[in-house]
């Protein structure tokens, strides 16, 4: 899981995002690359959407909305 999260962070270059076939992953990548939370709302998975919104809006509240315990802790740790 950590490897997947790191890979998503590393791919936060908009040009690389467009080559991602999975729609949720592409929206996540574009949201982070452009710091545009509008892309996050395209994500179907609620936890991934909340994580994307937390990072683009820099909002700890969105981290709290993540249901997966480990993912929520990781999100909160990144928010400081």
């Amino acid at each position: 899981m950590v490897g997947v999260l790191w890979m998503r962070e590393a791919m936060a270059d908009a040009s690389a995002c467009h080559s991602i076939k999975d729609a949720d992953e592409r929206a996540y990548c574009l949201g982070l690359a452009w710091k545009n939370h509008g892309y996050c709302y395209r994500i179907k998975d609620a936890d991934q959407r909340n994580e994307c919104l937390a990072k683009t809006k820099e909002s700890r509240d969105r981290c709290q909305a993540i249901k997966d315990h480990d993912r929520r802790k990781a999100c909160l740790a990144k928010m400081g």
Side-chain angles (χ1 to χ4, degrees):
M1 174 110 175
V2 175
V4 172
L5 293 174
W6 176 83
M7 188 170 143
R8 278 194 249 157
E9 298 293 330
M11 291 189 69
D13 173 25
S15 61
C17 296
H18 291 290
S19 65
I20 299 172
K21 296 201 185 294
D22 181 83
D24 283 354
E25 291 294 326
R26 184 174 46 250
Y28 181 92
C29 183
L30 288 167
L32 294 183
W34 292 108
K35 299 287 186 203
N36 182 340
H37 62 272
Y39 288 105
C40 301
Y41 290 109
R42 297 179 184 177
I43 300 171
K44 292 177 185 172
D45 178 62
D47 280 352
Q48 189 175 16
R49 181 176 44 248
N50 283 319
E51 183 180 347
C52 181
L53 289 166
K55 290 178 180 179
T56 56
K57 290 185 171 187
E58 298 180 7
S59 170
R60 288 179 60 86
D61 293 341
R62 288 297 184 159
C63 290
Q64 294 291 351
I66 297 172
K67 294 186 185 330
D68 181 81
H69 179 70
D70 293 334
R71 200 172 194 173
R72 182 181 31 211
K73 280 179 66 175
C75 182
L76 288 168
K78 287 183 182 178
M79 291 293 132

